[in-house]
Amino acid sequence: MATTAGACFFAAGSFQAFRPSPRRVAATTKTTARFAEMNVEGTRKGLREYFEESKVMIKSDGGPPRWFSPLETGARSHDSPLLLFLPGLIKLVEKTVRSEVKRSPNRPIYLVGESLGACIALAVASCNPDVDLVLILANPGGIFLCRSYYGIGFPYFLKVLDPGKSNIIKSQLQTVLPLLEVIPDHFHLTLRYVLSSLTGILVRGQTLQQTVGGLCQDSVALPLYLSVLTDILPQETLIWKLQMLKTASTFVNARLHAVEAQTLILSSGRDQLLPSLEEGERLFHALPNGEIRRAGDSGHFLFLEDGIDLASAIKGSYFYRRGKYLDCVSDYVPLTPSEFNKLNLILSYIEQMFSPLTLSTLEDGMIVRGLGGIPMEGPVLIVGYHMLLGIELIPLVCQFFIQRKIILRGMAHPMLFVKLKDGRLLDSFPFDQIGIFGGVPVSAVNFYKLLSLKSHILLYPGGIREALHRKGEEYKLFWPEQSEFIRMAARFGAKIVPFGVVGEDDFGDVLLDYDDQIKIPFMKSIIEEFTNSVGNLRTETRGEVANQDLHFPMFLPKVPGRFYYYFGKPIETEGRKQELRDKGKAHELYLQVQDEIEKNIAFLKEKREKDPYRSVLSRLAYQAAHGVTSEIPTFEI
């Protein structure tokens, strides 16, 4: 299972060998660690590690099947829920689930199932509707609904029941079972054919090692473990697995109506074993609490690939919770080592394109390069201007974490977190980065919780109206008339840091804004449908900021310029709680923060004119002469 050593925020993980019982043998380990301890380098387990552990797993000691974890971690974290990576035994899973419910009745239980395991997870959920289960289904194998074939060598054609339509879905796996039932037990022939069905990579003249090597990126390790693979996948085991898949999926399809568990479906776009995208869509529409994520470039073995991390998928989709209900604030888990490495990769691309420059103000009023003026002790409220489409967000969050190890908890529009009225979701792994980096839906309750935890909070009072502004409105603030955050910040003695940012006009020019799109009938209907599905966040707010019709401004890209951030001197609210209870005083501070942001923007617009490295071309020339890792100079501060 592809995950990281620092990512185990569950009480126990599980996995099992492929052989039928009673020959399933494994060892039990505890699997939890705190995410906050990021000084440990993260490791991922792949096919190489699986084969090493399989040498022990396939040796029978005559005992019953047992859970074991492929994760190597430390002690369990406080109140962590149980996670089970499922084998093919429903009764064993049910027994474990019931035992955990008695031990921890107020915590959810996570069932992670891949292919056949997904059928098992659904079966357990359908038989235990009273248990708080969270299902993670990777490339679910529930396609054996009904069958019709015309002899050996012909594919099955399966009729998948989908409300409103009937589709014929073809799976390469469907050609395997009838052939295996008649072919003698010559392992090498069988394995070559099965791997060909799994991946579609078998060509004339390839050796067995070459065929197996095409399964995944860890092909170097595979030839070393062919003897182990022979023991794990003899012909009778393959037949048993495929027959179990067929039986399990038939059972599950008859009981989908009884599944009420929260379910996350992970579907691969290049799965040549199962029609995972189609099956994922079917389950998404059939399950009342289902959400789907599509991994377009992944194959069938989703958790053995570098691009997908199970922990990140759970966190990013807001499926991780310690209690009965999700709390986006307290259930947040800090970055894992692998997520930190991805952050570094993102930042390297950003540095090359925009070379973001950050300036901050020390307590004595001195302006310095970097984020040295940002208070380390919270609560701290970072309040600023939203550039077009929020393009300043990724560099901002990255710089805070890289420079100061501060996780900015952004207050984001609820449209990024909720299903639309027709059941659709903003389905994209990139959108999940909001959850991974600590974003929460903007609300008074979440704001209060973050302040009480002494967090560093990122707030844009202009919200969607600023991020989706019209032509000629760049660097214009659209704030509500009433002071929304001042008195709450004063209640906790938060420091308020106003910041300005410029660079969007060096990024692109708006071609079609809201005023243009609303005049085009088909675009107008799309805007209205999307806005009605999400709902308006500020229904009681007056003024231009209340105009939050959701649309996507079309713009013409430019040769990239440079992003400039300027954080002003922190404004103290400690000791001003009684004073700022007065609405008039609170409004005065509100206007002061707004004025500081406008001054910061004006400062940056003036100073960047003196920056010889504002253009990406001049920055590339500088790096060519001084090295790609050299810090790009700027104007005189």
Side-chain angles (χ1 to χ4, degrees):
M1 182 169 63
T3 186
T4 59
C8 304
F9 41 90
F10 295 98
S14 62
F15 193 88
Q16 281 210 326
F18 289 157
R19 296 183 70 86
S21 62
R23 300 183 66 184
R24 283 189 183 84
V25 180
T28 301
T29 61
K30 293 283 181 84
T31 68
T32 53
R34 290 196 176 276
F35 280 87
E37 300 173 358
M38 299 189 62
N39 58 334
V40 180
E41 182 179 357
T43 58
R44 295 170 65 97
K45 285 199 173 185
L47 219 53
R48 181 190 300 268
E49 289 78 14
Y50 170 73
F51 279 123
E52 286 289 351
E53 295 173 359
S54 294
K55 294 178 182 179
V56 178
M57 295 194 314
I58 61 178
K59 297 177 183 179
S60 175
D61 63 358
R66 293 186 293 272
W67 297 107
F68 93 104
S69 169
L71 309 177
E72 297 177 359
T73 60
R76 62 177 297 171
S77 57
H78 179 64
D79 288 337
S80 56
L82 176 73
L83 180 146
L84 302 176
F85 194 100
L86 300 184
L89 295 173
I90 296 179
K91 294 300 181 182
L92 174 63
V93 179
E94 279 195 296
K95 181 179 179 181
T96 305
V97 166
R98 288 294 180 183
S99 174
E100 179 67 13
V101 169
K102 292 180 180 179
R103 191 175 71 87
S104 304
N106 298 320
R107 290 205 298 264
I109 299 174
Y110 285 72
L111 302 183
V112 181
E114 187 176 23
S115 191
L116 172 61
C119 290
I120 304 303
L122 288 167
V124 172
S126 68
C127 297
N128 297 272
D130 57 321
V131 178
D132 185 10
L133 296 175
V134 179
L135 310 184
I136 314 296
L137 311 181
N139 293 331
I143 62 166
F144 285 93
L145 185 59
C146 57
R147 64 177 183 170
S148 172
Y149 65 96
Y150 301 94
I152 297 173
F154 284 82
Y156 293 108
F157 290 91
L158 306 178
K159 195 172 187 180
V160 177
L161 300 182
D162 193 353
K165 60 181 179 180
S166 293
N167 294 328
I168 300 297
I169 295 180
K170 178 181 177 181
S171 168
Q172 295 189 44
L173 177 63
Q174 298 154 8
T175 64
V176 175
L177 184 57
L179 289 174
L180 289 180
E181 290 173 343
V182 298
I183 291 179
D185 190 12
H186 297 305
F187 171 76
H188 292 285
L189 173 63
T190 302
L191 183 58
R192 280 195 75 198
Y193 183 82
V194 171
L195 295 180
S196 171
S197 298
L198 297 183
T199 64
I201 62 172
L202 182 60
V203 295
R204 183 173 297 179
Q206 278 191 326
T207 64
L208 176 61
Q209 287 88 343
Q210 291 172 323
T211 303
V212 177
L215 270 173
C216 71
Q217 298 172 354
D218 202 7
S219 59
V220 176
L222 288 172
L224 305 176
Y225 299 105
L226 284 179
S227 61
V228 181
L229 187 60
T230 304
D231 288 333
I232 295 175
L233 293 174
Q235 181 172 315
E236 68 272 12
T237 299
L238 291 173
I239 294 175
W240 173 79
K241 289 286 289 184
L242 295 176
Q243 289 175 337
M244 179 172 285
L245 174 60
K246 182 174 65 175
T247 302
S249 58
T250 301
F251 175 82
V252 167
N253 276 295
R255 295 188 58 84
L256 276 182
H257 64 279
V259 177
E260 300 179 358
Q262 186 183 11
T263 306
L264 176 63
I265 304 163
L266 306 176
S267 296
S268 296
R270 301 178 62 183
D271 186 351
Q272 299 188 50
L273 173 60
L274 297 173
S276 294
L277 283 178
E278 294 87 347
E279 179 65 5
E281 289 290 339
R282 184 179 75 92
L283 288 175
F284 171 60
H285 290 95
L287 299 175
N289 297 310
E291 294 184 15
I292 188 170
R293 294 294 185 273
R294 303 169 184 85
D297 295 329
S298 297
H300 180 71
F301 300 102
L302 195 62
F303 294 143
L304 290 178
E305 300 187 13
D306 289 337
I308 302 298
D309 185 276
L310 176 58
S312 298
I314 294 174
K315 289 167 55 182
S317 55
Y318 290 90
F319 265 63
Y320 181 70
R321 53 186 171 88
R322 297 180 177 90
K324 187 173 181 60
Y325 301 103
L326 172 68
D327 187 328
C328 293
V329 175
S330 61
D331 284 332
Y332 173 68
V333 182
L335 296 177
T336 68
S338 69
E339 290 162 355
F340 176 79
N341 292 335
K342 289 179 181 179
L343 178 64
N344 268 327
L345 181 62
I346 294 172
L347 187 60
S348 67
Y349 292 136
I350 293 172
E351 287 283 356
Q352 292 178 10
M353 184 172 293
F354 299 113
S355 296
L357 171 69
T358 57
L359 304 174
S360 60
T361 310
L362 302 179
E363 291 185 0
D364 60 4
M366 175 183 244
I367 301 175
V368 296
R369 184 166 183 173
L371 299 174
I374 303 298
M376 288 298 295
E377 184 179 351
V380 177
L381 190 57
I382 311 294
V383 184
Y385 164 72
H386 231 342
M387 289 205 296
L388 182 67
L389 300 176
I391 54 177
E392 83 287 348
L393 269 172
I394 294 178
L396 176 61
V397 172
C398 290
Q399 291 290 342
F400 263 77
F401 192 81
I402 297 297
Q403 291 190 36
R404 304 298 300 275
K405 295 296 183 291
I406 293 174
I407 296 178
L408 276 183
R409 303 299 305 272
M411 306 287 289
H413 195 285
M415 74 172 180
L416 301 174
F417 305 90
V418 299
K419 284 185 178 180
L420 305 180
K421 291 182 179 179
D422 61 358
R424 291 182 290 118
L425 190 73
L426 288 176
D427 161 46
S428 174
F429 279 106
F431 275 106
D432 286 349
Q433 301 305 309
I434 298 172
I436 291 173
F437 288 102
V440 300
V442 59
S443 70
V445 173
N446 286 337
F447 188 41
Y448 181 93
K449 290 179 179 178
L450 289 172
L451 287 170
S452 65
L453 292 176
K454 297 185 177 182
S455 304
H456 285 70
I457 307 166
L458 178 61
L459 182 65
Y460 293 101
I464 286 290
R465 182 60 183 86
E466 282 180 3
L468 305 180
H469 63 68
R470 313 332 182 209
K471 297 175 185 176
E473 292 181 346
E474 57 270 9
Y475 309 126
K476 182 179 179 181
L477 301 186
F478 291 93
W479 282 27
E481 295 179 1
Q482 65 273 23
S483 52
E484 295 182 321
F485 60 87
I486 294 296
R487 286 190 290 174
M488 184 79 77
R491 179 173 181 175
F492 291 90
K495 300 177 182 68
I496 301 175
V497 180
F499 79 94
V501 56
V502 301
E504 67 173 273
D505 49 348
D506 286 342
F507 175 77
D509 290 325
V510 178
L511 292 179
L512 287 177
D513 61 10
Y514 173 81
D515 295 332
D516 298 321
Q517 295 180 27
I518 205 68
K519 297 174 184 177
I520 303 173
F522 84 92
M523 299 189 76
K524 178 181 179 181
S525 63
I526 293 175
I527 292 173
E528 291 176 348
E529 177 186 358
F530 191 46
T531 302
N532 292 334
S533 296
V534 173
N536 197 328
L537 180 63
R538 284 169 161 156
T539 55
E540 299 179 358
T541 303
R542 296 173 296 174
E544 187 62 27
V545 73
N547 184 2
Q548 294 198 353
D549 286 353
L550 301 177
H551 67 291
F552 188 87
M554 298 182 182
F555 62 93
L556 179 65
K558 291 182 177 180
V559 176
R562 195 171 192 178
F563 286 175
Y564 303 84
Y565 300 81
Y566 175 30
F567 297 86
K569 184 178 179 180
I571 300 173
E572 293 281 355
T573 65
E574 183 72 38
R576 302 180 63 184
K577 180 179 178 180
Q578 294 299 326
E579 173 192 354
L580 294 175
R581 280 186 175 180
D582 180 83
K583 290 185 178 180
K585 294 291 185 180
H587 192 66
E588 287 179 10
L589 183 55
Y590 182 74
L591 294 178
Q592 178 187 342
V593 175
Q594 186 174 356
D595 183 61
E596 289 290 332
I597 294 172
E598 291 174 337
K599 288 180 180 178
N600 293 349
I601 293 174
F603 172 85
L604 291 174
K605 290 173 68 176
E606 178 185 353
K607 283 290 189 179
R608 70 174 177 175
E609 299 296 332
K610 303 175 183 178
D611 186 359
Y613 300 101
R614 177 177 172 180
S615 169
V616 67
L617 299 179
S618 60
R619 296 196 299 272
L620 290 174
Y622 181 88
Q623 288 182 325
H626 298 84
V628 294
T629 59
S630 58
E631 184 179 64
I632 306 294
T634 185
F635 50 78
E636 184 177 349
I637 300 175

